[in-house]
Amino acid sequence: MPQPWWRSAVFYEIYVRSFADANDDGIGDLPGITSRLEYIRDLGVDAVWLTPFYPSPQKDHGYDVADYFDVNPEYGTLEDFDRLLARAHELRLKVLVDIVPNHTSDQHEWFKAAVTSPDNPFRERYHFADPRPAGMPPNNWTSSFGGAAWSPEPKGPQWYLHLFAPEQPDLNWWHPAVPEEFERIVKFWLDRGADGFRIDVAAALFKRRDLADRPLITDRVTGAARFDSAFGIIDQPQVHAVYRRWRQIANLYQPDRVLVGEIFDPRRHSRYILPDQLHMAFALIHLPWDATLWKRSIDTSRRAMRGPGAEPTWTLANHDVVRPVTRLGGGSTGRARALAALLMLLGLPGQFFLYQGDELGLEEVDLPDDLRQDPVFLHTGGSQKGRDGCRVPLPWHRGRPNAGFSTVAPWLPVPMAWDRLAVDVQAGSGESMLGHLRKALAERKRLAGGLPQGMRWRPAPAGVLAYSRDRMTVACNFLDRAVLLPADGRLLLGSNPLVGVKRGALRLPANSAAWLLA
Ligand code: NOJ
Ligand code: CA
């Protein structure tokens, strides 16, 4: 039976604001993306995920949606979206839209109505509550961006819940108008031709109905008081009915439309990734460079899958985490490790998500504080630097202002040093990060279908991981010195020119990976 297109697919995450700028105003936009779709096709991916491009005050760069049925004028128009989609489809690329159901912007019509008077019916679509005595928030929940999860409404007497920034009020999914509205939104984008959705904070929609305080407990290791993580405030069972409904809607369309949940905890995956709910959720590997930890994490993610053929959706990064090159050691070591990690994960059965710029080996940028824009930075008083450093615009052309992103200063500055990492520099070399990734994605495509879904670990020395999928073996050396392994076949790919097979032995230099074919 032919596989649905999304099984084993490779997705490329486009951070819209920073991908490509068509009108040279320093901000990425939809026409910019359309003009660069050949680059993405040539990379060898199957689909793109566009981060939110809706009208938005940009307090959380698009994750604060003011209107779910339109395009932010900074990014273009609905017609620009249609053109992007049409061109992507011509190039055989699928396009996922980011849907943000947990919260709206405080500039969304519903919230603006809600705060006009204490008896406005739209209040019930959010969580409003009376403060506790002495002006304390209604409960002790905290925002992921720092501080209390509640803020006083602008003029009225009550407070409202926001698990993220104060400009992102949480919707009350217990109110029937909310699920109804989101079904309309889902249909709107599917009717326009979108191939599916990445669902923002997918497990968070329903909050516990009693809005009870989280109990404080004493940490057994540190002795310090902390919130009891076993006391769930989100992830209520009612959320599954929402995704069953979305799946029924998606199933009405051909070719297949997909639902990708932003859910990282593998313990949740088995409840969401099901034939009648989500197609996939992220297996993000965000670990120190240690073979034992990586093996454990790969096993945990694979074991979390239920159902025939279900395999994890591997990912190394997204627009919320420190760039892999930096995380894994920075500089040439970090780059070598990041490439080895990519080859190791790309060899596994399952889907893969690549974050824009990781194909170029970009590093996290240490921006001056006065240029930082992330609400995480702003709401923690700078104690957390936030995510701007992984969101810096892409370098396209060596020797042009702002590495070819735009002629004017972009919304975040492109480091001078990125000139030599520009796309046009790397595209010409098979030994560049981009060159290696293109090769890996081409081989992956060539081998697809011929490889079994499963994998099995092979014996390997400490600090090295090796696995096989039928004829293919993948090995990754986490050590800072070279190792020799028995080679089973010929070398298909090596993450650096010193990887080699000689007289039945595979030589893996420090921090490198290889694919072999028997
Ligand atoms: C997850 C998104 O990836 C992140 O960028 C955003 O800040 C939060 N959800 C809130 O929407
Ligand atoms: Ca622009």
Side-chain angles (χ1 to χ4, degrees), residues 5-6 11 46-48 81 85 88-89 92-97 189-190 192-198 250 254-260 279:
W5 71 263
W6 49 268
F11 297 77
D46 305 290
V48 298
F81 173 79
L85 198 64
H89 287 166
R92 295 181 180 282
L93 289 168
K94 306 281 186 183
V95 178
L96 303 193
V97 170
W189 292 101
L190 294 184
R192 270 203 121 79
D195 298 289
F197 298 96
R198 176 269 190 187
Q254 273 304 322
D256 273 10
R257 307 300 213 257
V258 298
L259 304 174
V260 185
H279 298 78

PDB file of all heavy atoms in Angstrom, residues 5-6 11 46-48 81 85 88-89 92-97 189-190 192-198 250 254-260 279:
ATOM      1  N   TRP A   5       1.698  10.820   2.088  1.00  0.00           N
ATOM      2  CA  TRP A   5       2.860  11.677   1.813  1.00  0.00           C
ATOM      3  C   TRP A   5       3.610  12.105   3.064  1.00  0.00           C
ATOM      4  O   TRP A   5       4.819  12.317   3.049  1.00  0.00           O
ATOM      5  CB  TRP A   5       2.447  12.916   1.004  1.00  0.00           C
ATOM      6  CG  TRP A   5       1.638  13.928   1.798  1.00  0.00           C
ATOM      7  CD1 TRP A   5       0.279  14.049   1.812  1.00  0.00           C
ATOM      8  CD2 TRP A   5       2.146  14.943   2.676  1.00  0.00           C
ATOM      9  NE1 TRP A   5      -0.097  15.068   2.645  1.00  0.00           N
ATOM     10  CE2 TRP A   5       1.022  15.636   3.191  1.00  0.00           C
ATOM     11  CE3 TRP A   5       3.414  15.350   3.091  1.00  0.00           C
ATOM     12  CZ2 TRP A   5       1.140  16.695   4.084  1.00  0.00           C
ATOM     13  CZ3 TRP A   5       3.528  16.406   3.985  1.00  0.00           C
ATOM     14  CH2 TRP A   5       2.403  17.061   4.472  1.00  0.00           C
ATOM     15  N   TRP A   6       2.897  12.226   4.182  1.00  0.00           N
ATOM     16  CA  TRP A   6       3.510  12.803   5.386  1.00  0.00           C
ATOM     17  C   TRP A   6       4.345  11.794   6.167  1.00  0.00           C
ATOM     18  O   TRP A   6       5.177  12.167   6.971  1.00  0.00           O
ATOM     19  CB  TRP A   6       2.431  13.413   6.286  1.00  0.00           C
ATOM     20  CG  TRP A   6       1.276  12.494   6.525  1.00  0.00           C
ATOM     21  CD1 TRP A   6       0.119  12.418   5.801  1.00  0.00           C
ATOM     22  CD2 TRP A   6       1.158  11.496   7.543  1.00  0.00           C
ATOM     23  NE1 TRP A   6      -0.700  11.438   6.302  1.00  0.00           N
ATOM     24  CE2 TRP A   6      -0.087  10.856   7.375  1.00  0.00           C
ATOM     25  CE3 TRP A   6       2.000  11.089   8.587  1.00  0.00           C
ATOM     26  CZ2 TRP A   6      -0.521   9.828   8.205  1.00  0.00           C
ATOM     27  CZ3 TRP A   6       1.567  10.068   9.417  1.00  0.00           C
ATOM     28  CH2 TRP A   6       0.325   9.448   9.220  1.00  0.00           C
ATOM     29  N   PHE A  11      10.172  18.050   6.918  1.00  0.00           N
ATOM     30  CA  PHE A  11       9.542  19.366   6.947  1.00  0.00           C
ATOM     31  C   PHE A  11      10.612  20.419   7.231  1.00  0.00           C
ATOM     32  O   PHE A  11      11.562  20.150   7.970  1.00  0.00           O
ATOM     33  CB  PHE A  11       8.489  19.446   8.062  1.00  0.00           C
ATOM     34  CG  PHE A  11       7.335  18.503   7.899  1.00  0.00           C
ATOM     35  CD1 PHE A  11       7.466  17.146   8.207  1.00  0.00           C
ATOM     36  CD2 PHE A  11       6.108  18.960   7.449  1.00  0.00           C
ATOM     37  CE1 PHE A  11       6.397  16.270   8.072  1.00  0.00           C
ATOM     38  CE2 PHE A  11       5.024  18.089   7.307  1.00  0.00           C
ATOM     39  CZ  PHE A  11       5.172  16.747   7.612  1.00  0.00           C
ATOM     40  N   ASP A  46      10.116  17.873   1.865  1.00  0.00           N
ATOM     41  CA  ASP A  46       8.800  17.584   1.294  1.00  0.00           C
ATOM     42  C   ASP A  46       7.778  18.674   1.606  1.00  0.00           C
ATOM     43  O   ASP A  46       6.748  18.763   0.945  1.00  0.00           O
ATOM     44  CB  ASP A  46       8.258  16.263   1.879  1.00  0.00           C
ATOM     45  CG  ASP A  46       9.240  15.131   1.674  1.00  0.00           C
ATOM     46  OD1 ASP A  46       9.408  14.710   0.523  1.00  0.00           O
ATOM     47  OD2 ASP A  46       9.868  14.683   2.664  1.00  0.00           O
ATOM     48  N   ALA A  47       8.018  19.424   2.672  1.00  0.00           N
ATOM     49  CA  ALA A  47       6.971  20.333   3.151  1.00  0.00           C
ATOM     50  C   ALA A  47       7.596  21.475   3.939  1.00  0.00           C
ATOM     51  O   ALA A  47       8.728  21.360   4.419  1.00  0.00           O
ATOM     52  CB  ALA A  47       6.008  19.558   4.051  1.00  0.00           C
ATOM     53  N   VAL A  48       6.841  22.562   4.053  1.00  0.00           N
ATOM     54  CA  VAL A  48       7.272  23.643   4.938  1.00  0.00           C
ATOM     55  C   VAL A  48       6.196  23.904   5.984  1.00  0.00           C
ATOM     56  O   VAL A  48       5.015  23.651   5.761  1.00  0.00           O
ATOM     57  CB  VAL A  48       7.563  24.966   4.171  1.00  0.00           C
ATOM     58  CG1 VAL A  48       8.699  24.779   3.191  1.00  0.00           C
ATOM     59  CG2 VAL A  48       6.328  25.503   3.459  1.00  0.00           C
ATOM     60  N   PHE A  81      -0.559  34.764   0.081  1.00  0.00           N
ATOM     61  CA  PHE A  81      -0.572  33.399   0.613  1.00  0.00           C
ATOM     62  C   PHE A  81      -0.982  32.412  -0.493  1.00  0.00           C
ATOM     63  O   PHE A  81      -0.357  31.368  -0.668  1.00  0.00           O
ATOM     64  CB  PHE A  81      -1.525  33.275   1.812  1.00  0.00           C
ATOM     65  CG  PHE A  81      -1.679  31.854   2.275  1.00  0.00           C
ATOM     66  CD1 PHE A  81      -0.707  31.254   3.065  1.00  0.00           C
ATOM     67  CD2 PHE A  81      -2.772  31.086   1.869  1.00  0.00           C
ATOM     68  CE1 PHE A  81      -0.818  29.915   3.452  1.00  0.00           C
ATOM     69  CE2 PHE A  81      -2.894  29.749   2.256  1.00  0.00           C
ATOM     70  CZ  PHE A  81      -1.909  29.170   3.051  1.00  0.00           C
ATOM     71  N   LEU A  85       1.234  29.317  -1.914  1.00  0.00           N
ATOM     72  CA  LEU A  85       0.746  27.943  -1.892  1.00  0.00           C
ATOM     73  C   LEU A  85       0.755  27.335  -3.293  1.00  0.00           C
ATOM     74  O   LEU A  85       1.186  26.193  -3.497  1.00  0.00           O
ATOM     75  CB  LEU A  85      -0.681  27.964  -1.331  1.00  0.00           C
ATOM     76  CG  LEU A  85      -1.223  26.665  -0.827  1.00  0.00           C
ATOM     77  CD1 LEU A  85      -0.415  26.193   0.370  1.00  0.00           C
ATOM     78  CD2 LEU A  85      -2.684  26.837  -0.403  1.00  0.00           C
ATOM     79  N   ALA A  88       4.301  26.612  -4.275  1.00  0.00           N
ATOM     80  CA  ALA A  88       4.804  25.473  -3.508  1.00  0.00           C
ATOM     81  C   ALA A  88       4.250  24.172  -4.094  1.00  0.00           C
ATOM     82  O   ALA A  88       4.985  23.218  -4.312  1.00  0.00           O
ATOM     83  CB  ALA A  88       4.415  25.610  -2.042  1.00  0.00           C
ATOM     84  N   HIS A  89       2.978  24.161  -4.387  1.00  0.00           N
ATOM     85  CA  HIS A  89       2.375  22.938  -4.927  1.00  0.00           C
ATOM     86  C   HIS A  89       2.949  22.597  -6.299  1.00  0.00           C
ATOM     87  O   HIS A  89       3.182  21.428  -6.600  1.00  0.00           O
ATOM     88  CB  HIS A  89       0.856  23.063  -4.954  1.00  0.00           C
ATOM     89  CG  HIS A  89       0.243  22.962  -3.576  1.00  0.00           C
ATOM     90  ND1 HIS A  89      -1.043  23.309  -3.287  1.00  0.00           N
ATOM     91  CD2 HIS A  89       0.788  22.553  -2.389  1.00  0.00           C
ATOM     92  CE1 HIS A  89      -1.298  23.105  -1.992  1.00  0.00           C
ATOM     93  NE2 HIS A  89      -0.187  22.657  -1.432  1.00  0.00           N
ATOM     94  N   ARG A  92       5.896  20.753  -5.796  1.00  0.00           N
ATOM     95  CA  ARG A  92       5.630  19.539  -5.013  1.00  0.00           C
ATOM     96  C   ARG A  92       6.038  19.687  -3.554  1.00  0.00           C
ATOM     97  O   ARG A  92       6.573  18.769  -2.933  1.00  0.00           O
ATOM     98  CB  ARG A  92       6.316  18.313  -5.611  1.00  0.00           C
ATOM     99  CG  ARG A  92       5.784  17.954  -6.964  1.00  0.00           C
ATOM    100  CD  ARG A  92       6.469  16.723  -7.523  1.00  0.00           C
ATOM    101  NE  ARG A  92       5.918  16.411  -8.828  1.00  0.00           N
ATOM    102  CZ  ARG A  92       4.746  15.804  -9.030  1.00  0.00           C
ATOM    103  NH1 ARG A  92       4.028  15.425  -8.013  1.00  0.00           N
ATOM    104  NH2 ARG A  92       4.305  15.572 -10.240  1.00  0.00           N
ATOM    105  N   LEU A  93       5.828  20.880  -3.039  1.00  0.00           N
ATOM    106  CA  LEU A  93       6.063  21.107  -1.609  1.00  0.00           C
ATOM    107  C   LEU A  93       4.716  21.312  -0.932  1.00  0.00           C
ATOM    108  O   LEU A  93       3.853  22.024  -1.458  1.00  0.00           O
ATOM    109  CB  LEU A  93       6.900  22.375  -1.397  1.00  0.00           C
ATOM    110  CG  LEU A  93       8.374  22.332  -1.790  1.00  0.00           C
ATOM    111  CD1 LEU A  93       8.961  23.742  -1.780  1.00  0.00           C
ATOM    112  CD2 LEU A  93       9.156  21.426  -0.826  1.00  0.00           C
ATOM    113  N   LYS A  94       4.540  20.699   0.236  1.00  0.00           N
ATOM    114  CA  LYS A  94       3.328  20.908   1.019  1.00  0.00           C
ATOM    115  C   LYS A  94       3.548  22.095   1.953  1.00  0.00           C
ATOM    116  O   LYS A  94       4.691  22.405   2.293  1.00  0.00           O
ATOM    117  CB  LYS A  94       3.030  19.668   1.850  1.00  0.00           C
ATOM    118  CG  LYS A  94       2.949  18.395   1.037  1.00  0.00           C
ATOM    119  CD  LYS A  94       1.622  18.293   0.337  1.00  0.00           C
ATOM    120  CE  LYS A  94       1.485  16.949  -0.352  1.00  0.00           C
ATOM    121  NZ  LYS A  94       0.222  16.868  -1.095  1.00  0.00           N
ATOM    122  N   VAL A  95       2.450  22.685   2.395  1.00  0.00           N
ATOM    123  CA  VAL A  95       2.562  23.878   3.255  1.00  0.00           C
ATOM    124  C   VAL A  95       1.675  23.730   4.491  1.00  0.00           C
ATOM    125  O   VAL A  95       0.461  23.564   4.368  1.00  0.00           O
ATOM    126  CB  VAL A  95       2.148  25.150   2.482  1.00  0.00           C
ATOM    127  CG1 VAL A  95       2.220  26.376   3.378  1.00  0.00           C
ATOM    128  CG2 VAL A  95       3.024  25.345   1.240  1.00  0.00           C
ATOM    129  N   LEU A  96       2.296  23.779   5.666  1.00  0.00           N
ATOM    130  CA  LEU A  96       1.529  23.750   6.913  1.00  0.00           C
ATOM    131  C   LEU A  96       1.427  25.165   7.481  1.00  0.00           C
ATOM    132  O   LEU A  96       2.406  25.918   7.476  1.00  0.00           O
ATOM    133  CB  LEU A  96       2.205  22.886   7.989  1.00  0.00           C
ATOM    134  CG  LEU A  96       2.522  21.431   7.699  1.00  0.00           C
ATOM    135  CD1 LEU A  96       2.886  20.725   9.006  1.00  0.00           C
ATOM    136  CD2 LEU A  96       1.378  20.727   7.023  1.00  0.00           C
ATOM    137  N   VAL A  97       0.246  25.464   7.981  1.00  0.00           N
ATOM    138  CA  VAL A  97      -0.018  26.753   8.620  1.00  0.00           C
ATOM    139  C   VAL A  97       0.055  26.525  10.132  1.00  0.00           C
ATOM    140  O   VAL A  97      -0.284  25.449  10.620  1.00  0.00           O
ATOM    141  CB  VAL A  97      -1.414  27.256   8.185  1.00  0.00           C
ATOM    142  CG1 VAL A  97      -1.860  28.457   8.969  1.00  0.00           C
ATOM    143  CG2 VAL A  97      -1.408  27.563   6.688  1.00  0.00           C
ATOM    144  N   TRP A 189      -8.542  27.561   6.279  1.00  0.00           N
ATOM    145  CA  TRP A 189      -7.204  27.391   5.685  1.00  0.00           C
ATOM    146  C   TRP A 189      -7.119  26.117   4.859  1.00  0.00           C
ATOM    147  O   TRP A 189      -6.422  26.078   3.834  1.00  0.00           O
ATOM    148  CB  TRP A 189      -6.119  27.461   6.778  1.00  0.00           C
ATOM    149  CG  TRP A 189      -6.050  28.852   7.342  1.00  0.00           C
ATOM    150  CD1 TRP A 189      -6.600  29.280   8.520  1.00  0.00           C
ATOM    151  CD2 TRP A 189      -5.485  30.015   6.715  1.00  0.00           C
ATOM    152  NE1 TRP A 189      -6.403  30.639   8.670  1.00  0.00           N
ATOM    153  CE2 TRP A 189      -5.719  31.109   7.576  1.00  0.00           C
ATOM    154  CE3 TRP A 189      -4.812  30.247   5.517  1.00  0.00           C
ATOM    155  CZ2 TRP A 189      -5.291  32.416   7.267  1.00  0.00           C
ATOM    156  CZ3 TRP A 189      -4.383  31.535   5.212  1.00  0.00           C
ATOM    157  CH2 TRP A 189      -4.626  32.596   6.080  1.00  0.00           C
ATOM    158  N   LEU A 190      -7.863  25.083   5.261  1.00  0.00           N
ATOM    159  CA  LEU A 190      -7.855  23.864   4.438  1.00  0.00           C
ATOM    160  C   LEU A 190      -8.546  24.139   3.099  1.00  0.00           C
ATOM    161  O   LEU A 190      -8.086  23.693   2.047  1.00  0.00           O
ATOM    162  CB  LEU A 190      -8.523  22.696   5.167  1.00  0.00           C
ATOM    163  CG  LEU A 190      -7.803  22.183   6.419  1.00  0.00           C
ATOM    164  CD1 LEU A 190      -8.533  20.965   6.983  1.00  0.00           C
ATOM    165  CD2 LEU A 190      -6.335  21.826   6.140  1.00  0.00           C
ATOM    166  N   ARG A 192      -8.551  26.871   1.564  1.00  0.00           N
ATOM    167  CA  ARG A 192      -7.618  27.670   0.746  1.00  0.00           C
ATOM    168  C   ARG A 192      -6.510  26.810   0.161  1.00  0.00           C
ATOM    169  O   ARG A 192      -5.736  27.273  -0.658  1.00  0.00           O
ATOM    170  CB  ARG A 192      -6.983  28.756   1.610  1.00  0.00           C
ATOM    171  CG  ARG A 192      -7.767  30.043   1.614  1.00  0.00           C
ATOM    172  CD  ARG A 192      -6.908  31.239   1.972  1.00  0.00           C
ATOM    173  NE  ARG A 192      -6.902  32.241   0.914  1.00  0.00           N
ATOM    174  CZ  ARG A 192      -7.869  33.113   0.696  1.00  0.00           C
ATOM    175  NH1 ARG A 192      -8.948  33.098   1.434  1.00  0.00           N
ATOM    176  NH2 ARG A 192      -7.771  33.992  -0.280  1.00  0.00           N
ATOM    177  N   GLY A 193      -6.396  25.580   0.666  1.00  0.00           N
ATOM    178  CA  GLY A 193      -5.409  24.674   0.082  1.00  0.00           C
ATOM    179  C   GLY A 193      -4.255  24.313   1.003  1.00  0.00           C
ATOM    180  O   GLY A 193      -3.358  23.570   0.595  1.00  0.00           O
ATOM    181  N   ALA A 194      -4.273  24.826   2.234  1.00  0.00           N
ATOM    182  CA  ALA A 194      -3.189  24.471   3.166  1.00  0.00           C
ATOM    183  C   ALA A 194      -3.187  22.958   3.376  1.00  0.00           C
ATOM    184  O   ALA A 194      -4.242  22.313   3.359  1.00  0.00           O
ATOM    185  CB  ALA A 194      -3.384  25.187   4.491  1.00  0.00           C
ATOM    186  N   ASP A 195      -2.003  22.404   3.582  1.00  0.00           N
ATOM    187  CA  ASP A 195      -1.866  20.948   3.699  1.00  0.00           C
ATOM    188  C   ASP A 195      -1.938  20.465   5.137  1.00  0.00           C
ATOM    189  O   ASP A 195      -1.694  19.288   5.401  1.00  0.00           O
ATOM    190  CB  ASP A 195      -0.550  20.515   3.054  1.00  0.00           C
ATOM    191  CG  ASP A 195      -0.546  20.846   1.570  1.00  0.00           C
ATOM    192  OD1 ASP A 195      -1.282  20.178   0.838  1.00  0.00           O
ATOM    193  OD2 ASP A 195       0.138  21.804   1.157  1.00  0.00           O
ATOM    194  N   GLY A 196      -2.218  21.374   6.051  1.00  0.00           N
ATOM    195  CA  GLY A 196      -2.352  20.959   7.438  1.00  0.00           C
ATOM    196  C   GLY A 196      -1.867  22.046   8.373  1.00  0.00           C
ATOM    197  O   GLY A 196      -1.638  23.189   7.970  1.00  0.00           O
ATOM    198  N   PHE A 197      -1.730  21.644   9.642  1.00  0.00           N
ATOM    199  CA  PHE A 197      -1.411  22.615  10.685  1.00  0.00           C
ATOM    200  C   PHE A 197      -0.338  22.111  11.622  1.00  0.00           C
ATOM    201  O   PHE A 197      -0.280  20.915  11.932  1.00  0.00           O
ATOM    202  CB  PHE A 197      -2.650  22.902  11.545  1.00  0.00           C
ATOM    203  CG  PHE A 197      -3.773  23.498  10.774  1.00  0.00           C
ATOM    204  CD1 PHE A 197      -4.792  22.695  10.276  1.00  0.00           C
ATOM    205  CD2 PHE A 197      -3.819  24.863  10.517  1.00  0.00           C
ATOM    206  CE1 PHE A 197      -5.837  23.235   9.539  1.00  0.00           C
ATOM    207  CE2 PHE A 197      -4.855  25.415   9.773  1.00  0.00           C
ATOM    208  CZ  PHE A 197      -5.866  24.597   9.287  1.00  0.00           C
ATOM    209  N   ARG A 198       0.454  23.036  12.082  1.00  0.00           N
ATOM    210  CA  ARG A 198       1.259  22.824  13.279  1.00  0.00           C
ATOM    211  C   ARG A 198       0.437  23.509  14.360  1.00  0.00           C
ATOM    212  O   ARG A 198       0.021  24.664  14.213  1.00  0.00           O
ATOM    213  CB  ARG A 198       2.638  23.466  13.095  1.00  0.00           C
ATOM    214  CG  ARG A 198       3.556  23.405  14.314  1.00  0.00           C
ATOM    215  CD  ARG A 198       3.376  24.623  15.168  1.00  0.00           C
ATOM    216  NE  ARG A 198       4.392  24.723  16.220  1.00  0.00           N
ATOM    217  CZ  ARG A 198       4.365  25.631  17.180  1.00  0.00           C
ATOM    218  NH1 ARG A 198       3.388  26.518  17.220  1.00  0.00           N
ATOM    219  NH2 ARG A 198       5.298  25.675  18.091  1.00  0.00           N
ATOM    220  N   ALA A 250     -10.145  17.167   8.683  1.00  0.00           N
ATOM    221  CA  ALA A 250      -8.986  16.975   7.802  1.00  0.00           C
ATOM    222  C   ALA A 250      -9.232  15.810   6.852  1.00  0.00           C
ATOM    223  O   ALA A 250      -8.858  15.861   5.675  1.00  0.00           O
ATOM    224  CB  ALA A 250      -7.731  16.743   8.627  1.00  0.00           C
ATOM    225  N   GLN A 254      -8.617  15.826   0.253  1.00  0.00           N
ATOM    226  CA  GLN A 254      -7.608  15.052  -0.463  1.00  0.00           C
ATOM    227  C   GLN A 254      -6.719  16.012  -1.243  1.00  0.00           C
ATOM    228  O   GLN A 254      -7.241  16.987  -1.759  1.00  0.00           O
ATOM    229  CB  GLN A 254      -8.272  14.077  -1.442  1.00  0.00           C
ATOM    230  CG  GLN A 254      -8.636  12.743  -0.817  1.00  0.00           C
ATOM    231  CD  GLN A 254      -7.462  12.040  -0.166  1.00  0.00           C
ATOM    232  OE1 GLN A 254      -6.353  12.098  -0.688  1.00  0.00           O
ATOM    233  NE2 GLN A 254      -7.669  11.404   0.978  1.00  0.00           N
ATOM    234  N   PRO A 255      -5.422  15.780  -1.398  1.00  0.00           N
ATOM    235  CA  PRO A 255      -4.650  14.754  -0.701  1.00  0.00           C
ATOM    236  C   PRO A 255      -4.621  14.983   0.802  1.00  0.00           C
ATOM    237  O   PRO A 255      -5.080  16.023   1.278  1.00  0.00           O
ATOM    238  CB  PRO A 255      -3.251  14.895  -1.312  1.00  0.00           C
ATOM    239  CG  PRO A 255      -3.201  16.240  -1.963  1.00  0.00           C
ATOM    240  CD  PRO A 255      -4.605  16.658  -2.237  1.00  0.00           C
ATOM    241  N   ASP A 256      -4.068  14.008   1.527  1.00  0.00           N
ATOM    242  CA  ASP A 256      -4.056  14.026   2.989  1.00  0.00           C
ATOM    243  C   ASP A 256      -3.643  15.373   3.579  1.00  0.00           C
ATOM    244  O   ASP A 256      -2.657  15.964   3.165  1.00  0.00           O
ATOM    245  CB  ASP A 256      -3.037  13.008   3.504  1.00  0.00           C
ATOM    246  CG  ASP A 256      -3.643  11.636   3.636  1.00  0.00           C
ATOM    247  OD1 ASP A 256      -4.770  11.436   3.151  1.00  0.00           O
ATOM    248  OD2 ASP A 256      -2.966  10.766   4.219  1.00  0.00           O
ATOM    249  N   ARG A 257      -4.386  15.806   4.566  1.00  0.00           N
ATOM    250  CA  ARG A 257      -3.996  16.983   5.356  1.00  0.00           C
ATOM    251  C   ARG A 257      -3.467  16.478   6.686  1.00  0.00           C
ATOM    252  O   ARG A 257      -3.971  15.458   7.198  1.00  0.00           O
ATOM    253  CB  ARG A 257      -5.202  17.895   5.593  1.00  0.00           C
ATOM    254  CG  ARG A 257      -5.933  18.287   4.330  1.00  0.00           C
ATOM    255  CD  ARG A 257      -5.048  19.035   3.364  1.00  0.00           C
ATOM    256  NE  ARG A 257      -5.773  20.025   2.590  1.00  0.00           N
ATOM    257  CZ  ARG A 257      -6.148  19.881   1.323  1.00  0.00           C
ATOM    258  NH1 ARG A 257      -5.860  18.765   0.675  1.00  0.00           N
ATOM    259  NH2 ARG A 257      -6.798  20.843   0.697  1.00  0.00           N
ATOM    260  N   VAL A 258      -2.501  17.170   7.276  1.00  0.00           N
ATOM    261  CA  VAL A 258      -1.910  16.632   8.508  1.00  0.00           C
ATOM    262  C   VAL A 258      -1.999  17.595   9.685  1.00  0.00           C
ATOM    263  O   VAL A 258      -2.004  18.819   9.525  1.00  0.00           O
ATOM    264  CB  VAL A 258      -0.423  16.229   8.344  1.00  0.00           C
ATOM    265  CG1 VAL A 258      -0.280  15.139   7.327  1.00  0.00           C
ATOM    266  CG2 VAL A 258       0.440  17.396   8.001  1.00  0.00           C
ATOM    267  N   LEU A 259      -2.051  17.002  10.865  1.00  0.00           N
ATOM    268  CA  LEU A 259      -2.104  17.752  12.119  1.00  0.00           C
ATOM    269  C   LEU A 259      -0.866  17.398  12.935  1.00  0.00           C
ATOM    270  O   LEU A 259      -0.660  16.238  13.282  1.00  0.00           O
ATOM    271  CB  LEU A 259      -3.359  17.371  12.903  1.00  0.00           C
ATOM    272  CG  LEU A 259      -4.690  17.539  12.167  1.00  0.00           C
ATOM    273  CD1 LEU A 259      -5.842  16.983  12.994  1.00  0.00           C
ATOM    274  CD2 LEU A 259      -4.935  19.027  11.860  1.00  0.00           C
ATOM    275  N   VAL A 260      -0.059  18.418  13.208  1.00  0.00           N
ATOM    276  CA  VAL A 260       1.181  18.214  13.958  1.00  0.00           C
ATOM    277  C   VAL A 260       1.064  18.980  15.266  1.00  0.00           C
ATOM    278  O   VAL A 260       0.944  20.205  15.259  1.00  0.00           O
ATOM    279  CB  VAL A 260       2.395  18.766  13.175  1.00  0.00           C
ATOM    280  CG1 VAL A 260       3.690  18.451  13.909  1.00  0.00           C
ATOM    281  CG2 VAL A 260       2.428  18.241  11.749  1.00  0.00           C
ATOM    282  N   HIS A 279      -1.591  13.459  13.645  1.00  0.00           N
ATOM    283  CA  HIS A 279      -0.701  12.601  12.862  1.00  0.00           C
ATOM    284  C   HIS A 279       0.672  12.503  13.517  1.00  0.00           C
ATOM    285  O   HIS A 279       1.333  11.480  13.417  1.00  0.00           O
ATOM    286  CB  HIS A 279      -0.525  13.153  11.454  1.00  0.00           C
ATOM    287  CG  HIS A 279      -1.790  13.209  10.676  1.00  0.00           C
ATOM    288  ND1 HIS A 279      -2.732  14.191  10.854  1.00  0.00           N
ATOM    289  CD2 HIS A 279      -2.279  12.382   9.715  1.00  0.00           C
ATOM    290  CE1 HIS A 279      -3.741  13.982  10.028  1.00  0.00           C
ATOM    291  NE2 HIS A 279      -3.491  12.905   9.327  1.00  0.00           N
TER     292      HIS A 279
END
